[in-house]
Amino acid sequence: MAKAKVFIVPQEYKAKYKVFFVDQSYKEKNADIIKGGELVKQEYQADVKVFIVNQEYKADIKIMRKNFPS
């Protein structure tokens, strides 16, 4: 599978997935969707649009910061 092109949207309703950062790898959930991907600068370039949430229960994807696309 090709690397996902990821864009962080400013509003929650624009996102396909909500992301929460976890501290341990065993807590990761659905991380493969964006892990190893590439962060893009423009929304139109993205395959996956994400919104960062500050509460774990709201998240579709839980990922460690080191595994988040850069």
Side-chain angles (χ1 to χ4, degrees):
M1 190 173 113
K3 285 185 179 182
K5 288 182 171 63
V6 179
F7 182 76
I8 301 171
V9 295
Q11 289 97 8
E12 189 171 341
Y13 74 91
K14 290 184 174 183
K16 183 171 183 183
Y17 299 106
K18 293 185 272 291
V19 173
F20 181 79
F21 292 109
V22 294
D23 295 327
Q24 290 92 13
S25 59
Y26 73 88
K27 289 185 176 178
E28 286 192 332
K29 178 181 137 196
N30 297 329
D32 293 341
I33 297 169
I34 58 173
K35 191 184 282 188
E38 173 190 355
L39 210 52
V40 293
K41 294 185 182 347
Q42 302 294 326
E43 191 170 346
Y44 70 87
Q45 298 172 309
D47 306 319
V48 181
K49 296 174 188 172
V50 300
F51 181 78
I52 310 298
V53 294
N54 57 5
Q55 290 161 317
E56 191 171 352
Y57 75 90
K58 292 182 177 178
D60 306 305
I61 297 174
K62 297 175 189 175
I63 191 166
M64 293 180 64
R65 287 184 190 277
K66 69 176 186 169
N67 293 329
F68 192 77
S70 54

